[in-house]
Every structure is written in C-alpha cells, then in structure tokens.
Amino acid sequence: MRVVQPIRYGPRFVVPRQQALRRNFGTTVRLQSYADTLPNLRIGAHTRVMFQGFTGKQATANAKDSIAWGTNIVGGVRPGRTGEHFGLPVLPTVQSAMKELKPDATAIYVAAHQAPGAIEEAIEAEVPLIVAVAEHIPLHDMLRIHSILKTQSKSRLVGPNSPGIISAVGKCRIGFQPLPCFSPGKIGIIAKSGTLSYETVASTTRAGLGQSLCIGVGGDIVPGTDLREALTVLENDSDTEAIALIGEIGGLGELDAAEWIRDYHSRTQSPKPIVGLIAGIHEPRGRIMGHAGAFTIAGEPDAKEKIEALVSVGVTMVTHPGQFGEAFKERLGGSTHGVNSLAGRGKLGNQRRQIHTAVRRPQTRTRFLAKPCTQQRRHLTLSEDDCMDLLREAGLNCGHYSGLGTRRFLAIGVDRSTRSPCILAAPTVDDDQIEKMVKRYPFDYRHGPDELAIERVASHLHISLKESAHESLRRLVHRLSDIFYEKEAYLMETEIVERLGEIKVVGARFGFDDAAYRSCGRQTELQKLRNTAVEDASELEAEKSGIIYIKLEGNGTIGTLVNGAGLAMNTVDALGGHATNFLDTGGKATSETVKHGFEVILKDPRVRVIFVNIFGGLTLGDMIANGIIMAFKELSPRVPVVVRIRGTNEKEGQKLIEESGLPLYAFDDFEAAKAKAIELSSA
C-alpha cells in the first residue's frame, strides 16, 4: 500500500483514503453489506426525522413546512450547542442525538463544504437513513464517503444534489420538495432530476392518481442510492401500484435499471407498470448539462441507447413529464403489463419514436472530454500542453505522436455503478471503435489500482509480454492515479503507444472537479491554469450570474430559459433541432436570473423567439411572471416571448402575463406552448 499524502480541506488536513478509513464503525463490520440498508428507504408516518444544521435558515424554513404537513420531526443537531428549536431538542452531536431522539432519518442542511463531515458523522452514529440535499459537494469527498458506506450495513444515503425522499401517503418529507404538488396515491417516482420529478408529481395529481413514495436519487456523479436500488424498494412497497422512472444522460444507471426490470418481469406474474422518460437526447457531446453527473464519457450510453434499453424491457416512454398522468391512467386501466402499449399513439407518442423523427442536429460521438473552450462552472478542463506538463512533473515519458506505434486509450475515471474510481482502457483510439471496445476496471478508493487490474488492462491493450513494457504501464497507471487523487480529477484520458519496450503518452485530456475549488477552496493552483480567453463570452457572462448556459450548434431559432437542469434538457429535447441553447437558471429562478437569462439569449443573432418554461416548485409562478415582465420592459427584446408556467401559483403567474399588455404569450399546456414557439420562430 502506497503512502498517501493528505489533501487540504479548508483550514485543516484530512487524509481521504487509507488513514481516514481504517476504522470500520464499531459493530457494523460483521454485518453483510450496504445493500442491506435498502429497507431504510421505506419512510412514512412512523419515521422519526432529525435535522443536522437544525437552526440554520434553510433548515428552519424547511422544518416549519414539513411539520405543518405532518412530518414527524423530533429535533436536530447544532455542533457544540444544546437547547430548543420549535420547542424540539437541539443536541451538540449526532451521537448524542441518536441516543436521545432515536431518529430513523436525518436531513442534512449544511453548506457543501460542511456536508461530507456531516454525512460521515451520521454514518459513524449509524443513522438508518441519511438525506443530503446539498449541491456541489466535491467528487472526491463523495468517493471517500462511498468507500466508508461499503464497509457497513446500518446507514443508507440519499443524495447529494437531490431534492430528497418523500412519502405522500405517510406525510413524511425529508428534503425540499414542493408540498402543494403532492397528493396521497399510488404512483411511486424515481428521478435523477428534481424539476422533472415535480412535473411528474403534478401530472399524476391532476390525473387523480397521486403519489406513494418518491425517491430523488439526484444528479450527482456517484449518488448514494441509484435507480436500480430505488426500483427494488418500490417493487416491495404496498402503496405503490405503478412506477415513474426519470433518467438522463450520464452513467450506466438506466441500463442497470433495464436489466433489473427484465428480471422483475421474468419472476413476477403481475409486475407493476413502469413509465419512463430520459432527458438529454440532444446532448452536445462532452458538455456537462447542469447536473454534476449529466455528461457522457467513454463506454457510457447516450440518451437514445438508454431509451431503447428501457423500451426493450416493456417500459412505456413519454417525451414530457406532463404526460405521465395520462400514460399511467392507460397502463392502470387494463393495458397488458410489461407491454409498451402507448407506442406511437396520439400526443403521448413514444420517446423511442420521437428520437428518430425529431429534427436532430448532426452529432459525432467523438471524444469524451470537452475542449478547453467549453469550460463550465462544475468542471475544469485543461489544455493538452498543461496536461502533458503535469505528466512530466510526475516523471512520465510524454511527447507528440510520431506516427510510429499503435495508439491505445488509457484513462482513470469513475465507475458510477460501483461508485468507485476505475481504469478505462481500449486497444484503439478510433472514434468508431472505442465505444464498443472500452472496458472498465474499478478499484477501491482507499487503496488505488491493484496489480491484478493492471495486468488485465495490459492484456486488453495487447501490450507485449516484455517485462519492461508491463513495468512501464504499471508506473503510468500509478502516476495517473496519484494525479487523479491529488488534483481531484474526475477523468484523465491519455493516448499511449508502446515503443522499444516502454509506454509513452502521446495525447492527454484531463478534467478536474471544479467543486473542490468553489465549495472548499482547494486546488487553487489548478484554477490558475484556466484560460478564459478561449471560452465563449456568453457562457462566461452567464456563469457570473449563476446561470448555466450552453450555446448549441445548428440552425435553431428558439432561445430557451428553464429552471432546473433536467427540465432544461427535456425542453431542448422536445424542441428538437429548433433550440439555440440550453439554459438552466437553477432550481430557484428569480426575477434577476430571468433578466440575466434574457440578456444572454438575446446576444445570439439566431434567436427569433424566446421560450420560457418554468415549473414553480419552490419558485413561485407569480414571482417568475413579474420577473419576465420586468425583464421585457427593461430590455425591449426584438423577438416574441412564449411563457409556460406551471406549479406553485401557476394561475396567478399566467394571469399576470396575460394582463401585462406586452407581446407575451402565456400557456398552461407544454405542447401548446411548444407549438406556438415553433410557429413564431418560423414566421
């Protein structure tokens, strides 16, 4: 085992691997596995909930609403203090809270840089269910936490970057879901996207079906609970009669879910109907689409492949979350279980059919990391020269490809299914072949790559039997993994050749987790390598306002402004090739972000109409409407604006738009709004 140098975490040193993980948390070491914690997700009226960060502003507001709704909150934790809040006990540590309050679950409401410590404290105290809602927790903190979770079988994690988990039947909310949308019922919901899940909740409520248990697995790279695990829970939930599955680009989770569904149908006489939606059909390859995990790397399927996999096992696919209610009414109304009964029908259509018939801009499935000029707020991608310099500093043989020797693909990245780092390898760098030939070799975050994995990599890459070549490969893998840990990378791709018994790096593209810097102030030296001069000016401007804006290629004419990454992806998908951009204002759109969004969109000369698609969960529809009116008056846009507002205070928002006297088009129905935007863009 190699000696591990500590990474600086804020004002103190924390060792992220071996030294931090030698303990096995008391009695839990003799128990079976993390999988044994799945029953802890079955929350309800019986669930005793506590808060970490209980007296903070967000936790206070959330607890007030949750208590009024019926959630059994029993107290919380504020480090180093005791007292009361809402007349409930406040304890100084999670351990003391476990003894006094005996909670079944904890909701963690602390900032991203404090969240890893709070999660670890909850694991050590053996809290049965841990819900972490924070966004922008550094990837390597989460990899470290997953290596801890794998050593125990008491605590189950939901999140991070998740709205949480909620039982509409049991009136138990652990998270920040918009309560007015929910009604007790029979539809279980599993979702990577918060806004898409809220739309699904609203759709099933309008259809008179309601919801049972809703699990927000979240959009993180390595979530604590994945789609397949959530399906297992809903299979055995007596309140759930049908399941909504909402996925998106990034990882293999939807394919794992499809395999689970195939097995479920084979062993169950009357399986519960499943209706699904996948966001990101029009993903610009190599970009991070709002959520930390919404990007695709070597060997991972795109949205189209995920849809095909789910259709093949009998999942009914819809193209917009507003269609879930009608889809479930038909499936529960006597349609054959396990059959895609809505294929090609009416306005519901079928997502498999839509991806073939929609106008699509050409895509080439070429390399997996974004170029330096496509920098985004979540990830930092370096130029090849800077990557080569890092490798030379590590004592590795690097240089330009001379044309001699077969180039092979070798990378260190993340295996999302195993929630661990992995080696990725393919015996070619040909774009047409690498997707089919790349293999993953996961390794323990605590220990780094092992010798057996490296030997398997050598065999897959067809490295010669020379001992010097194998030793050179071992050295390269270990040096790459050292940089992966020390610089907090999420993906380090190289092209290598074997020459004269040695391995030489002839190409490199490295991506680093920007959250380590933005949330925790780590990796400041890497940030100095960022070259904003080669980045898109509009994207940089949006970033300063906290907006994620990605300019799409092609001949689109509709600028989009949406709250929430999943809904933004789905909006671009629904518009087909008509969209000029992806724009996520964040889950809490405000009048200021709407104004800044308009400013950025209008700088694109292609835009002939702006399509605002807002689902008001925590965001109020009337507030957004006022923001749109204010922005329109201040900016006097040269193009018409179509506004679709649903959710909280939707009628008030729509009325404000209609009565504004401005050339704004207000809609309730998404399909009608989309049709109007396309019509206006073609005028």
Side-chain angles (χ1 to χ4, degrees):
M1 185 181 295
R2 302 194 308 280
V3 176
V4 179
Q5 296 298 318
I7 292 175
R8 183 178 290 276
Y9 283 67
R12 61 193 179 92
F13 281 114
V14 176
V15 179
R17 292 187 284 162
Q18 295 95 317
Q19 297 169 32
L21 299 170
R22 282 177 181 155
R23 67 190 188 281
N24 283 313
F25 297 112
T27 60
T28 63
V29 68
R30 69 176 182 272
L31 298 177
Q32 294 181 2
S33 73
Y34 183 51
D36 296 310
T37 65
L38 281 173
N40 300 352
L41 293 166
R42 297 174 191 162
I43 64 170
H46 66 281
T47 305
R48 297 170 60 84
V49 180
M50 74 172 185
F51 279 69
Q52 287 171 256
F54 189 29
T55 59
K57 182 179 178 181
Q58 287 188 335
T60 297
N62 183 274
K64 181 180 178 180
D65 291 342
S66 296
I67 290 170
W69 196 58
T71 304
N72 183 20
I73 296 175
V74 295
V77 173
R78 181 169 181 178
R81 299 194 184 183
T82 57
E84 287 191 351
H85 192 51
F86 292 121
L88 299 170
V90 177
L91 284 303
T93 67
V94 178
Q95 287 279 10
S96 61
M98 278 296 290
K99 291 179 182 178
E100 184 168 329
L101 305 178
K102 296 179 174 53
D104 302 301
T106 180
I108 296 179
Y109 275 83
V110 299
H113 71 280
Q114 298 170 316
I119 295 170
E120 289 186 43
E121 187 179 3
I123 297 170
E124 190 159 11
E126 299 185 342
V127 182
L129 178 61
I130 303 164
V131 179
V133 299
E135 194 176 2
H136 305 306
I137 297 178
L139 168 63
H140 281 250
D141 289 348
M142 289 311 304
L143 287 171
R144 184 181 74 254
I145 285 167
H146 280 294
S147 68
I148 296 172
L149 288 169
K150 291 172 185 175
T151 71
Q152 57 83 58
S153 60
K154 289 287 188 180
S155 299
R156 161 65 48 173
L157 175 65
V158 170
N161 194 8
S162 161
I165 181 171
I166 183 169
S167 169
V169 173
K171 297 291 184 180
C172 180
R173 176 176 79 160
I174 313 174
F176 55 82
Q177 305 88 340
L179 294 173
C181 301
F182 285 83
S183 62
K186 61 183 71 173
I187 307 300
I189 300 173
I190 306 163
K192 283 185 173 181
S193 162
T195 47
L196 287 177
S197 71
Y198 307 156
E199 281 255 28
T200 303
V201 168
S203 178
T204 52
T205 292
R206 291 187 195 100
L209 299 171
Q211 307 81 40
S212 52
L213 182 63
C214 304
I215 304 172
V217 301
D220 213 59
I221 299 175
V222 281
T225 296
D226 61 27
L227 297 171
R228 178 187 55 80
E229 291 170 324
L231 282 167
T232 301
V233 172
L234 292 183
E235 173 195 1
N236 298 300
D237 179 48
S238 59
D239 294 319
T240 299
E241 296 182 20
I243 300 169
L245 175 66
I246 302 165
E248 63 187 28
I249 57 168
L252 301 169
E254 290 80 359
L255 299 193
D256 294 338
E259 285 304 308
W260 183 92
I261 294 167
R262 188 187 306 278
D263 175 70
Y264 172 54
H265 286 163
S266 70
R267 60 182 165 76
T268 308
Q269 187 173 2
S270 298
K272 299 174 182 180
I274 302 175
V275 179
L277 180 143
I278 302 295
I281 295 170
H282 290 271
E283 164 206 10
R285 194 67 173 180
R287 303 303 301 268
I288 299 94
M289 306 298 286
H291 291 149
F295 63 92
T296 307
I297 64 171
E300 292 182 346
D302 61 14
K304 175 181 174 181
E305 292 169 282
K306 292 184 177 189
I307 292 165
E308 295 287 0
L310 291 169
V311 167
S312 73
V313 295
V315 177
T316 296
M317 301 301 293
V318 297
T319 60
H320 185 268
Q323 300 166 351
F324 271 103
E326 290 303 313
F328 278 121
K329 284 173 73 174
E330 183 161 345
R331 288 296 301 266
L332 291 168
S335 298
T336 304
H337 291 301
V339 175
N340 201 334
S341 60
L342 297 179
R345 289 195 182 188
K347 70 174 184 178
L348 277 177
N350 174 273
Q351 200 171 6
R352 176 177 60 177
R353 181 174 61 84
Q354 167 107 2
I355 63 177
H356 290 300
T357 59
V359 178
R360 301 186 70 191
R361 61 181 58 84
Q363 292 185 347
T364 302
R365 294 197 67 181
T366 57
R367 279 290 221 271
F368 319 109
L369 276 183
K371 297 177 181 178
C373 62
T374 57
Q375 168 66 27
Q376 287 181 66
R377 141 176 103 164
R378 175 71 202 205
H379 294 156
L380 173 66
T381 304
L382 300 188
S383 69
E384 184 165 75
D385 287 343
D386 287 332
C387 295
M388 290 294 201
D389 286 343
L390 286 175
L391 294 175
R392 291 187 186 100
E393 289 173 11
L396 293 169
N397 183 14
C398 307
H400 295 295
Y401 181 52
S402 66
L404 299 175
T406 301
R407 287 181 295 168
R408 293 137 166 140
F409 175 76
L410 179 69
I412 302 289
V414 177
D415 186 308
R416 308 192 206 199
S417 295
T418 62
R419 303 179 180 112
S420 65
C422 69
I423 305 169
L424 298 99
T428 180
V429 296
D430 182 82
D431 293 328
D432 295 329
Q433 297 296 320
I434 195 169
E435 294 285 347
K436 295 179 287 187
M437 301 184 73
V438 69
K439 288 187 177 181
R440 284 177 165 74
Y441 302 87
F443 56 86
D444 192 319
Y445 186 80
R446 297 168 293 176
H447 305 124
D450 59 62
E451 295 306 308
L452 178 59
I454 295 173
E455 287 304 311
R456 288 174 174 167
V457 168
S459 175
H460 183 54
L461 293 177
H462 306 307
I463 300 297
S464 71
L465 297 177
K466 294 179 181 178
E467 179 56 33
S468 61
H470 281 243
E471 181 57 35
S472 182
L473 180 66
R474 289 188 199 99
R475 185 167 177 266
L476 173 58
V477 169
H478 285 302
R479 291 291 185 272
L480 284 175
S481 67
D482 287 342
I483 298 171
F484 177 82
Y485 284 113
E486 291 163 10
K487 303 295 186 184
E488 299 189 69
Y490 72 93
L491 181 61
M492 302 179 64
E493 299 177 340
T494 65
E495 292 182 4
I496 62 172
V497 296
E498 180 185 352
R499 291 288 293 156
L500 304 175
E502 294 291 324
I503 302 299
K504 180 180 179 180
V505 178
V506 296
R509 292 159 299 277
F510 298 167
F512 300 93
D513 182 23
D514 213 13
Y517 171 73
R518 296 185 181 274
S519 297
C520 300
R522 305 196 297 257
Q523 308 300 344
T524 55
E525 291 302 311
L526 276 178
Q527 289 297 316
K528 295 176 183 178
L529 299 176
R530 181 179 180 183
N531 183 7
T532 57
V534 299
E535 298 181 34
D536 184 273
S538 297
E539 295 187 9
L540 282 171
E541 181 182 341
E543 181 183 327
K544 292 175 184 176
S545 301
I547 296 169
I548 299 178
Y549 171 82
I550 300 172
K551 188 179 292 184
L552 302 176
E553 297 178 357
N555 299 316
T557 53
I558 301 175
T560 66
L561 189 153
V562 189
N563 66 323
L567 189 59
M569 277 189 277
N570 180 249
T571 302
V572 171
D573 292 345
L575 289 171
H578 295 285
T580 62
N581 67 278
F582 165 100
L583 191 151
D584 171 20
T585 65
K588 293 183 179 179
T590 66
S591 57
E592 279 302 305
T593 56
V594 170
K595 177 185 173 184
H596 292 314
F598 272 36
E599 290 173 335
V600 171
I601 291 169
L602 289 169
K603 289 186 178 181
D604 188 337
R606 297 174 298 169
V607 173
R608 295 182 184 175
V609 60
I610 296 176
F611 183 24
V612 180
N613 185 23
I614 299 290
F615 186 86
L618 301 177
T619 304
L620 303 180
D622 52 350
M623 184 191 76
I624 290 299
N626 279 319
I628 293 167
I629 293 167
M630 180 187 75
F632 199 97
K633 289 179 178 179
E634 289 189 26
L635 300 175
S636 299
R638 66 186 185 278
V639 300
V641 178
V642 175
V643 182
R644 184 252 183 183
I645 298 178
R646 292 302 294 262
T648 310
N649 291 3
E650 61 182 49
K651 294 189 182 303
E652 293 87 342
Q654 291 160 10
K655 184 177 180 182
L656 285 169
I657 296 293
E658 290 169 356
E659 297 178 353
S660 67
L662 300 172
L664 299 168
Y665 299 85
F667 288 88
D668 173 88
D669 179 68
F670 177 82
E671 293 297 329
K674 179 184 79 171
K676 186 64 176 178
I678 293 173
E679 174 194 330
L680 291 170
S681 72
S682 303

